[in-house]
Amino acid sequence: ISKNKGLNWESYNSGLNDLNITNLDYIDTIFICGTFSDGIYYNNGSDWIKNSNGIICSSIWSMTTTKRAIVANDNDYVYISNNGISWNNISPSVDDHFFYSVVSIGDTVFLSGEIKSILQRFIKYCSLSSDLWYDIGNKPYEYEANFYNIYTDSNILYAYFDDKISYTDNLGEKWIDISLPEEYCNNIQSFFIHN
C-alpha cells in the first residue's frame, strides 16, 4: 500500500493466506480482495480477514461492487454478498460453462464466459432487483477467443479481446468498434477510461 501517491510503498499482507491476489476492490471505505486459492478477504484497517462463508470454490476470478452489494465469481459460480459477511450463489443456468468476469453498472451485473463444449462466448446481465439473468442483445464480435474481457464506465459496457475493443450503451443492440488501427501491435490485456 502507498499512502503518498506511490512515493513509498509498504507491505499490506497481514492475515492473507494466499498472496496470489486476483483483484482488489472496495465498498464504502472497506477494501476487499479475491485470491487465487483462498477465497475473499476484507481489510479491517490493519489486517485481512477471510470472508468466504458460502463460497464453494476458493479461486476468485473477479469482483465488482454495486450500490447495494459485492458480486464475485469463480469459474463455476457467481456470488453476492449484501452484508459483507456471507455469500449466496446467484449463478445463471448455463451448461458446461466457464465464468470469466463480472462488472456492474448501478445494480445491473454483467457476466462474461463461454460454453466450453462448443467454444461459444456469452455476455449475460442481471438486475439485482430481480435476480434473473438474460443474454445481452448481440455479441460484440464472432471471433476465435475463449471469452470476452468486459469493463464498464458510466453507463457503457466495453468488450475486448485480442486486437478488438467495442462498446454498447444499449445492452448489446448495437456495438461500436473502437479498436486501434491495424499498424499497432494489438493484444489488449486491459484498459481504463480517464475523463
Side-chain angles (χ1 to χ4, degrees):
I1 188 171
S2 174
K3 297 176 182 175
N4 56 11
K5 299 182 181 178
L7 295 175
N8 301 95
W9 291 90
E10 60 187 85
S11 175
Y12 202 59
N13 300 327
S14 179
L16 285 173
N17 294 324
D18 181 0
L19 297 180
N20 293 305
I21 305 302
T22 56
N23 43 59
L24 291 167
D25 212 330
Y26 63 91
I27 186 163
D28 296 326
T29 59
I30 298 174
F31 286 104
I32 55 176
C33 75
T35 65
F36 183 74
S37 65
D38 202 32
I40 295 175
Y41 287 77
Y42 73 91
N43 191 275
N44 67 4
S46 59
D47 295 318
W48 291 95
I49 310 297
K50 189 167 181 179
N51 182 24
S52 299
N53 184 26
I55 291 179
I56 298 167
C57 178
S58 19
S59 183
I60 302 302
W61 285 91
S62 69
M63 294 186 303
T64 187
T65 54
T66 71
K67 293 178 182 176
R68 65 183 188 110
I70 306 167
V71 179
N73 75 287
D74 58 33
N75 59 339
D76 292 318
Y77 300 97
V78 179
Y79 305 100
I80 187 169
S81 177
N82 292 319
N83 59 14
I85 298 170
S86 61
W87 296 85
N88 295 306
N89 181 354
I90 60 164
S91 305
S93 178
V94 181
D95 292 332
D96 189 33
H97 65 272
F98 182 96
F99 295 148
Y100 184 64
S101 66
V102 291
V103 296
S104 60
I105 297 174
D107 273 340
T108 300
V109 174
F110 298 88
L111 170 69
S112 69
E114 76 167 313
I115 300 172
K116 294 186 290 188
S117 58
I118 56 176
L119 296 178
Q120 181 182 15
R121 293 156 306 286
F122 60 80
I123 300 174
K124 295 184 174 290
Y125 69 96
C126 171
S127 169
L128 294 181
S129 60
S130 70
D131 292 336
L132 299 175
W133 288 92
Y134 301 95
D135 288 313
I136 199 144
N138 297 304
K139 294 180 183 177
Y141 300 98
E142 290 295 336
Y143 203 67
E144 300 257 342
N146 291 339
F147 38 74
Y148 300 110
N149 293 297
I150 53 178
Y151 173 80
T152 56
D153 182 68
S154 300
N155 290 318
I156 297 175
L157 172 66
Y158 295 85
Y160 63 99
F161 53 88
D162 292 346
D163 60 348
K164 302 289 187 186
I165 304 175
S166 60
Y167 74 87
T168 182
D169 59 4
N170 54 19
L171 293 177
E173 285 183 36
K174 182 178 179 183
W175 289 89
I176 308 298
D177 184 349
I178 57 169
S179 302
L180 292 165
E182 289 183 12
E183 64 262 24
Y184 296 101
C185 178
N186 298 328
N187 188 352
I188 300 159
Q189 300 295 315
S190 182
F191 73 96
F192 67 95
I193 307 298
H194 177 68
N195 295 327

